[in-house]
Amino acid sequence: MSQTNEFPNLPADCKSMLCKYLTKEVFEALKDKKTSNGFTLADAINSGVKNIDSGIGVYAGDVESYDLFAPLFDPIIKEYHGFSATDKHVSNLNPDDLIAPNPDPDGKYIISTRIRVGRNVDNMPLGPAITKEQRNKVEKDVSEALMAMTGELAGSYYPLNGMSEEVSAKLIADHFLFKAGDRFLEAAGLNRDWPEGRGIYHNDDKTFLVWINEEDQLRIISMQMGGDIKEVFSRLMTAIKEIEKKVPFSFTDHLGYITSCPTNLGTAMRASVHIALPKLAEDMETFKAITDKYHLQIRGIHGEHSESEGGVYDISNRRRLGVTEVQCVQDMYDGVVALIKKEQSL
Ligand code: ADP
Ligand code: ILO
């Protein structure tokens, strides 16, 4: 882990939350601190310092980082989630509470639906501070737990180490697998020892998938073609509860499920649709006004930091902390209904 006494050289036009909240005072107060896993302020900010086009720019090395470096993390959490240091996170994993009849039963707009949560193993450092041995233990414990899944969730584990270039390229292109070499993760220390310890578990239909040791130790994913959002949510809730019986997850009453990036704290849930909105795409101002109203984020169809193709967008909930899992999906659902209505009117 690294340490620095020098305030980083951040350009004046830098727009990340790191640039906004890392004042000289905050830097001086935190620069000599170190968590019990040896994680420092320099480690926490390296991704945003190396990638000045970051939106956020910081990562935690362990649950302790959120306390020790609170003068930096708290204002970022407040701005991203609207969640204060005194607020408490709330959870609701009950699919019966979600009101989400398919908003596009004729399949004119919604191509596919995907909901994922991030999870990390309790009493382990997070990815940016984990050792190779600890990471390999996470892979072993989690893949063994997954191999015991039954019914619709039964599947196989495919380690990245030894996977052919052809197979991984196809899994990535089909939106099932994470990409290699992400520069934000690289600078956060999340790609160390790549590809060892990483892999993907999935059922035969690829409707239930788990990424192991990417940005978080587990990314639990439910996805399928079309817009049956409730079915996707129900499958995910069943899977989470099954996995949690065998793998204890890192969780605090204040921050909910602990993740390496502060944008994912709380529910750690991103519920998205790939949706064709070619007319609305010509009027980005109206498009953004709707997504802002419903707390949604617009991404391209090859994941974060990618572009839209052919008027197809990835639309997902933005808030994840201080709102329940049901509310995250409800945000996405209500916004998607409004977007489809607008597209139809154009
Ligand atoms: P994450 O959601 O895990 O934070 P990304 O934005 O990088 O990360 O997306 C991961 C992968 O999931 C990408 O290949 C992306 O295209 C795919 N994906 C996201 N949402 C959907 C969706 N609704 N349907 C199909 N694939 C999706
Ligand atoms: N560190 C990147 C990504 C932030 C949010 N997304 C994820 C995947 N955690 C940035 O600051 O733009």
Side-chain angles (χ1 to χ4, degrees), residues 2 18 25 50 75 92 130 167 174 185 190 192 200 204 227 237 260 263 266 293 297 306 318 326 329 335 340 342:
S2 55
L18 168 69
E25 294 68 37
K50 295 271 160 62
N92 181 359
I130 203 166
V167 169
D174 292 344
L185 301 188
L190 277 154
R192 288 170 298 127
I200 181 172
D204 280 349
M237 294 306 104
S260 62
T263 65
K293 178 172 173 199
Q297 191 178 57
S306 75
R318 189 168 191 279
V326 168
V329 184
I340 292 176
K342 189 74 199 170

Side-chain angles (χ1 to χ4, degrees), residues 54-76:
S54 290
I56 312 295
V58 296
Y59 287 87
D62 38 33
V63 60
E64 226 182 298
S65 304
Y66 285 109
D67 275 339
L68 197 65
F69 305 119
L72 177 61
F73 278 112
D74 279 353
I76 293 178

